[in-house]
Amino acid sequence: MSENQSHTVKRQRYGFPWKQVIGLFLSLALTFLALWIAIGLSLPVNATLTIIVGLAIFQAFIQLFMFMHVTEGTEPVHQLLGILFGLFVTFAVVAGTLWILAYAL
Amino acid sequence: MTDSTLSLHEKDQSKLPLEYRTEEGNLRIVGFWIFLAAELVLFGTLFGSYLVLQSHTAGGPGPHDLFEIGPVMAETIVLLVSSFTCGLSTLELRRHNKKGLIGWLIVTILLGLVFLGLEINEFYTYAVNEGAPISRSAFLSGFFVLLGTHGAHVTLGIVWIFGILLQLGKRGITAVTARKAFITGLYWHFLDVVWIFIFTAVYLTGLVM
């Protein structure tokens, strides 16, 4: 395949971008929900932290699936494995650091 | 392509979006995911050190004294919307609509610039007006390094998308420019994912604790 090979492409039409709009509204809703739980509600600190971290993880998954199309491609298992391994190392680093240095877990 | 063992059948290939249709495009996209996984680990180390150093304020201002929810929400909303417009640009790419693709990418980098302006203003407020520069305490070192690394990524993203815009303007949507535009999109969404965790682990946590 030469780098700059040109393909003649036809314009295609699809409907309203529901996936993107739903992704945006869910992201905004989760952001404000997290803000309200942190500022508006006075739950115990640990409960608040658990809930807002859970909401952040949920929101990250929305980005991954609605915007980043992580399951696309000819063999998506390669990128999924890469990302899962990255997540595992990240989790080990953050949780391990907090556990050892801050006794926070 | 036909001599490659990795290539797909002609029929299957034509169903795929343009950026996946060449073996090279495919491999580069997978490679970029591996890069993002490594970036994830980089930010993980910065989050780990920030969270440990968060309480080490050396008698200086702490998270509660500094953070104001208004500007932080503004940054968050601008970045979330930019991620959405970037998603729309990928959609227009799939429709092979060059004008739409370029238009949404321009909106995305404009929102990125607004985000950067807000963040620079926030840093300036802390470092100059509040007497809380990077050297003040371990907490502030961790804060500025984590947020600064993210901000530097956003700056790079803006320059990168601008470069892709020039290529799209010149060459139109080809298998190569489609792959490049798709990959910058992945990068931009990834920066939004990192920001979600900064919003939660830095700002909200700082206000709660």
Side-chain angles (χ1 to χ4, degrees), chain A residues 3 10 12 15 63 72 74, chain B residues 8 26 83 94-95 176 192:
Chain A
E3 252 296 290
K10 279 183 200 150
Q12 291 170 304
Q63 291 284 327
E72 276 182 4
T74 45
Chain B
L8 299 163
N26 251 312
S83 188
R94 298 282 163 84
R95 290 173 175 176
V176 174
D192 192 53

Side-chain angles (χ1 to χ4, degrees), chain B residues 90-106:
Chain B
T90 305
L91 185 75
E92 295 298 342
L93 170 68
R94 298 282 163 84
R95 290 173 175 176
H96 301 318
N97 178 2
K98 184 178 148 188
K99 270 189 184 169
L101 169 62
I102 289 178
W104 285 121
L105 283 180
I106 289 173

